[in-house]
Amino acid sequence: MKATAISIVRKLRQEGYSAYFAGGCVRDQLIGITPKDYDVATSALPEQVMHVFPHTVAVGADFGVVLVLSDGQQVEVATFRSDGDYADGRHPDEVIYTDDARLDVRRRDFTINGLLWDPLTETLLDYVGGRDDIRNRVIRTIGDPGQRFREDKLRMMRAARFSARFGFELEAATRNTIQVLADQILQVSKERLRDELIKILTEGYASRGIQLLETLRLLHPILPEISALQG
């Protein structure tokens, strides 16, 4: 998988586009975990990605995401973008493509997920302090936590999941903002809540995850029956 992702980055560079590993694979690599998959972020527009690679699937065309099929592997390639407002608390009303990697990083959720890695030069690009937060074992939003969580309420559950999975502490403003906005979690679809809850329960740190949901005031709106069992 990694070799395939590197070849995709190399090909995009040869075609004149910028391209990097992005998100969870960079985070896991720095933590010392072998990534399960590799995502690529690029300045190439979706149609340009599909032109460069003969076998692709536009899995998230509205958000600039193309699945590149190569060597029997599947790698998500996403165009750098900045997002407009999130009127529904789940999806951006407008996606604006950009060739600026910094803008793409700044619209992401947490600093530990906002890192880029150049696999050709083995160089880390950190515009949001994610490397320091990994070293200090901290979960922190990129920018204002109120804005990040109002954009996508599911990020509140993701904060709990990452904290439980990695044993990282929630930064104070991030934690306090979740507690204030916790009741709004029900604006997220039941399907998305279910999927995130399954991850919390199956990634190996279920007890800590449930305790965090309770501390963050998310457990009662999501699982009132479980919340009622306290004591």
Side-chain angles (χ1 to χ4, degrees):
M1 173 70 79
K2 184 176 183 179
T4 299
I6 291 174
S7 71
I8 289 171
V9 169
R10 180 176 291 110
K11 179 63 175 176
L12 286 166
R13 295 278 185 84
Q14 291 171 346
E15 294 294 325
Y17 305 110
S18 57
Y20 306 97
F21 288 175
C25 63
V26 184
R27 175 200 68 219
D28 289 354
Q29 184 172 273
L30 290 180
I31 291 174
I33 301 170
T34 301
K36 293 181 179 179
D37 49 40
Y38 291 83
D39 294 336
V40 173
T42 180
S43 61
L45 297 173
E47 57 269 27
Q48 293 170 329
V49 173
M50 290 186 283
H51 177 74
V52 170
F53 299 99
H55 304 294
T56 60
V57 180
V59 293
D62 291 342
F63 302 100
V65 180
V66 174
L67 198 65
V68 175
L69 313 178
S70 179
D71 300 324
Q73 306 287 338
Q74 301 179 350
V75 177
E76 278 195 6
V77 178
T79 302
F80 296 149
R81 73 176 205 252
S82 60
D83 295 340
D85 294 333
Y86 287 67
D88 64 356
R90 293 174 295 173
H91 309 107
D93 299 335
E94 180 183 16
V95 170
I96 304 165
Y97 295 134
T98 176
D99 60 2
D100 188 343
R102 291 174 177 83
L103 291 179
D104 183 74
V105 164
R106 289 171 186 158
R107 56 96 187 167
R108 295 175 182 261
D109 53 7
F110 306 107
T111 59
I112 65 170
N113 295 333
L115 298 163
L116 300 173
W117 177 259
D118 184 341
L120 304 187
T121 63
E122 298 190 343
T123 302
L124 182 72
L125 282 72
D126 181 6
Y127 303 120
V128 294
R131 173 165 45 188
D132 285 343
D133 282 343
I134 287 175
R135 286 173 177 166
N136 296 323
R137 303 177 66 81
V138 171
I139 303 293
R140 182 195 316 270
T141 60
I142 295 174
D144 175 58
Q147 179 181 350
R148 290 284 86 84
F149 293 132
R150 289 187 181 93
E151 288 171 346
D152 185 349
K153 307 302 192 302
L154 192 66
R155 287 172 174 168
M156 295 190 285
M157 283 189 70
R158 284 168 58 82
R161 176 164 67 87
F162 290 135
S163 179
R165 178 183 175 190
F166 301 125
F168 287 12
E169 293 298 319
L170 287 164
E171 179 265 337
T174 300
R175 180 188 65 246
N176 294 340
T177 302
I178 294 174
Q179 292 174 327
V180 169
L181 300 177
D183 286 346
Q184 297 183 25
I185 192 66
L186 292 182
Q187 294 179 18
V188 179
S189 71
K190 292 180 180 178
E191 291 78 14
R192 293 184 78 204
L193 291 176
R194 175 203 62 206
D195 292 346
E196 197 65 27
L197 185 60
I198 288 172
K199 291 177 182 178
I200 290 173
L201 295 174
T202 59
E203 287 185 344
Y205 305 92
S207 177
R208 176 170 164 79
I210 293 298
Q211 290 173 355
L212 275 168
L213 290 178
E214 175 64 25
T215 300
L216 296 172
R217 302 174 186 168
L218 292 167
L219 187 62
H220 180 71
I222 297 170
L223 291 173
E225 302 89 347
I226 301 301
S227 181
L229 294 176
Q230 268 199 317

